[in-house]
Amino acid sequence: MRVLVVEDDPLIRDMVVDALQDEGFEVLQAADGREDLSWCRQRAAAVLVTDVVLPGGIDGWQIAESCREHHPDLHVIYTTGFSPV
């Protein structure tokens, strides 16, 4: 199964990618929403793991919404390092 990881922090992205690869997943990665959208148009992954807060004017919610326009059955996992508490 192919997973697309969108995370702007390279250390966190590398950790998530390594963990998924260790579990046998094929992993694509993007550092921002614009890079991710090109993968989504290609229906490149079955699962999207996206940070909610991203630079570049496109957040994780918008990425998922846009990807689901091209791939309605895409599974999405949202992550964030920020908490309102």
Side-chain angles (χ1 to χ4, degrees), residues 37 40-43 64-73:
L37 292 178
C40 286
R41 288 186 193 103
Q42 299 173 41
R43 295 184 177 207
E65 197 172 286
S66 180
C67 288
R68 283 187 169 151
E69 288 176 10
H70 302 281
H71 190 3
D73 56 343

Side-chain angles (χ1 to χ4, degrees), residues 5 11 15 17-18 28 35 65-66 76-77 83:
V5 175
L11 293 174
M15 181 185 70
V17 167
D18 288 345
L28 304 169
E35 187 178 350
E65 197 172 286
S66 180
V76 180
I77 299 171
S83 172

Side-chain angles (χ1 to χ4, degrees), residues 39-83:
W39 287 116
C40 286
R41 288 186 193 103
Q42 299 173 41
R43 295 184 177 207
V47 178
L48 168 65
V49 177
T50 183
D51 189 357
V52 173
V53 180
L54 294 165
I58 301 174
D59 65 23
W61 303 109
Q62 293 165 317
I63 288 170
E65 197 172 286
S66 180
C67 288
R68 283 187 169 151
E69 288 176 10
H70 302 281
H71 190 3
D73 56 343
L74 178 71
H75 298 281
V76 180
I77 299 171
Y78 297 98
T79 64
T80 187
F82 297 99
S83 172

Side-chain angles (χ1 to χ4, degrees), residues 18-35:
D18 288 345
L20 289 168
Q21 288 175 334
D22 287 348
E23 292 299 319
F25 294 99
E26 182 180 347
V27 182
L28 304 169
Q29 51 186 303
D32 59 45
R34 287 185 172 78
E35 187 178 350

